[in-house]
Amino acid sequence: MIPIEIPPNTVMLKGIGWDSNIYLVRDENEALIIDTGTGVYWHKYIDIWLNENYLKGAEKITIFNTHEHFDHVGGNMAFRRYFEERGIKVYFAAHKYTAEALERGDDYVILSFYHGRSYTPHEVHLKLSGGEALRVGNLELIVIHTPGHTRGSVCLYEPNEKLLFTGDTIFNKTVGRTDFPTGSLEMLKKSLQKLEKLDVYLGLPGHGRVIKNWKENLEYIKHLLEDFE
C-alpha cells in the first residue's frame, strides 16, 4: 500500500478489503485520524505511518468517525490501545448520533453483524452537532452534519486547502447507500445542497478514489438522483 500525500498536512491510506479509507491529518504535536476501518488491518496502517515518520512527535491524537458503520469504526479500540500504550493521549470525536450508537454498541445500526463481528462500546469524548470547528494543532476543520447515509453522517471541511472529507455521504460519481438503518434519501439530497455551497479543491471520500472535479461530480450525482424521484 502506497500512502497518498496531500500537502501540506494530510495522508490518505486506501482501505484494504472492506475497510474505509483512513486519513491522517498532522499539525505540530497533534494528529487527527479520520475513520479506522474494520480493525482487521489496523497494524498495516500503523506500520506505514511509522515507516514514513508520519506520527513522529505526536503527543495527542483525535480519532474522528465520519459515521457509525463498522467499516469506519471497527478499528477504534485497536488504534486507541496502540497509542495509549505508548503514552499518547487519544480522544474520540463524532456527531452526537454516531456517538450514541458507539457508546451503546448498537450492532443493528453499526452493522457489525454484517462483518460477522460485534462492536465494543466506548466513550466518545467530543460529541458534535455540526457547525463546530475541530482543532488539530493550528488547523481548524469545520464539522458539517450531512445525514442521509446514516443520521450521524458528517463531513469535515478544511477551508485553507479546500479539502472536504466526505465519509460515505458522497463518492466519485455516486453517493452512499440510504437503505441501511437510519438512512434517508430525502435527507441525503438536502445534505448535498449544503455541500454545493462549499469551495472544494479535493473531495476525500470514505471509499474509492479522490474526487478531483468536485463541481462536475456534484452535477453528475444530482442528475443520477433525479431517477429516484
Side-chain angles (χ1 to χ4, degrees):
M1 184 197 314
I2 300 174
I4 300 170
E5 295 187 353
I6 303 164
N9 300 97
T10 303
V11 176
M12 173 184 178
L13 298 180
K14 298 188 83 171
I16 305 170
W18 290 101
D19 285 359
S20 65
N21 294 334
I22 297 175
Y23 297 91
L24 179 71
V25 181
R26 277 297 306 269
D27 194 59
E28 296 188 333
N29 64 342
E30 296 185 18
L32 173 69
I33 294 172
I34 301 174
D35 291 329
T36 63
T38 61
V40 175
Y41 301 105
W42 69 270
H43 55 290
K44 292 185 179 290
Y45 306 124
I46 293 281
D47 285 345
I48 290 171
W49 290 335
L50 293 177
N51 290 338
E52 300 295 333
N53 288 321
Y54 293 132
L55 292 171
K56 186 176 180 180
E59 298 176 3
K60 174 188 173 184
I61 292 176
T62 300
I63 295 174
F64 182 87
N65 296 125
T66 58
H67 63 290
E68 52 269 44
H69 284 161
F70 190 76
D71 56 332
H72 292 254
V73 305
N76 282 5
M77 293 307 292
F79 279 10
R80 179 183 181 179
R81 282 193 297 270
Y82 178 88
F83 292 123
E84 288 190 340
E85 285 171 0
R86 287 152 182 81
I88 301 174
K89 296 179 181 178
V90 177
Y91 301 90
F92 288 108
H95 189 272
K96 61 184 180 181
Y97 294 145
T98 295
E100 179 182 320
L102 298 184
E103 291 185 337
R104 286 202 320 261
D106 189 337
D107 286 337
Y108 174 70
V109 173
I110 294 171
L111 299 180
S112 47
F113 63 89
Y114 187 79
H115 298 269
R117 304 176 72 182
S118 60
Y119 188 77
T120 302
H122 65 76
E123 178 185 3
V124 177
H125 305 93
L126 187 58
K127 300 175 177 67
L128 304 161
S129 298
E132 303 93 339
L134 187 62
R135 296 187 62 88
V136 186
N138 290 315
L139 298 177
E140 288 190 349
L141 292 91
I142 308 304
V143 178
I144 305 170
H145 185 210
T146 53
H149 180 59
T150 71
R151 70 171 186 157
S153 290
V154 162
C155 295
L156 288 179
Y157 182 57
E158 202 285 280
N160 292 326
E161 302 300 325
K162 301 177 182 178
L163 303 178
L164 185 68
F165 300 88
T166 66
D168 285 4
T169 296
I170 183 170
F171 304 120
N172 188 62
K173 294 193 174 181
T174 190
V175 293
R177 291 174 57 172
T178 58
D179 57 340
F180 290 131
T182 79
S184 166
L185 180 58
E186 288 306 311
M187 291 302 295
L188 179 62
K189 290 177 180 178
K190 292 178 181 178
S191 293
L192 293 180
Q193 291 173 5
K194 290 184 188 178
L195 300 182
E196 278 187 304
K197 301 174 184 178
L198 300 177
D199 184 8
V200 177
Y201 172 59
L202 289 177
L204 303 176
H207 298 275
R209 54 197 176 110
V210 170
I211 305 166
K212 295 182 178 180
N213 300 307
W214 177 255
K215 289 184 178 180
E216 292 88 341
N217 192 61
L218 269 179
E219 286 301 312
Y220 179 90
I221 288 170
K222 281 168 62 181
H223 290 304
L224 186 69
L225 292 181
E226 287 175 0
D227 296 336
F228 294 94
E229 293 180 351

